[in-house]
Amino acid sequence: MSIRHGLLALLDQGPRYGYQLRTEFEARTGATWPLNVGQVYTTLGRLERDGLVVPDGEDDEGHVFYAVTEKGRAELRSWFDTPVPRTNPPRDELAIKLAMAVTVPGVDVTSVVQGQRRHSMKALQDYTRLKGQALTAQESGSDLAWLLVLEQLIFQTEAEIRWLDHCETRLAQHRPAAPAAPAEAAEPDPEPAPSRARRRARF
């Protein structure tokens, strides 16, 4: 997630100070990716260093406002115009966990998958409920922004559940077959072969 470009997008609408940026960022994303003020000011420092924002005065309480520069606007437009690359996908903790679980002896991978599915189903229900509330309250651009984030989370969670179903099927296909039961030994013949031969000769 690009906090850098998210802050530039907010500053493109007018100067703001750190706490305002934090509050608006969380409002537009439904606090899905919470920020702390220190993180905001660290990012602002880097943006200022790169010439993308400049200090733009203070209010009576000493809050320093920041304004986007023309270079910052160009950076923002480039971000909007450039597709998010998929060549280096972000690390997915669940995928890493399952990749490790199938290689570590003693781990019940099926149990891991089923536990995650229950958690993901609960999350999907929560997201769907929040979407209903967002649709009811949709009045502004911020509400639309939150709705889009929610729908992305819903689609992502649905895809995760389908993938977990696939993982369980794959695990079943690769489960080692149970060893075949040993063949039963033939019962010993109580009568020795020479005795049988003599008995047949008498008849």
Side-chain angles (χ1 to χ4, degrees), residues 81-155:
D81 293 340
T82 305
V84 176
R86 308 302 297 178
T87 51
N88 295 307
R91 291 183 180 89
D92 185 289
E93 183 178 354
L94 177 57
I96 294 171
K97 178 189 288 188
L98 291 184
M100 295 299 153
V102 297
T103 62
V104 175
V107 176
D108 186 346
V109 187
T110 299
S111 177
V112 174
V113 170
Q114 292 174 347
Q116 183 65 44
R117 185 192 290 106
R118 287 191 296 272
H119 175 81
S120 300
M121 287 295 297
K122 175 64 168 56
L124 182 58
Q125 293 167 356
D126 292 341
Y127 293 148
T128 303
R129 185 181 65 256
L130 289 172
K131 178 183 176 181
Q133 296 171 358
L135 285 170
T136 301
Q138 187 175 341
E139 296 177 355
S140 66
S142 294
D143 293 327
L144 176 59
W146 171 220
L147 181 61
L148 292 175
V149 170
L150 266 177
E151 289 176 333
Q152 190 270 347
L153 292 171
I154 288 171
F155 292 144

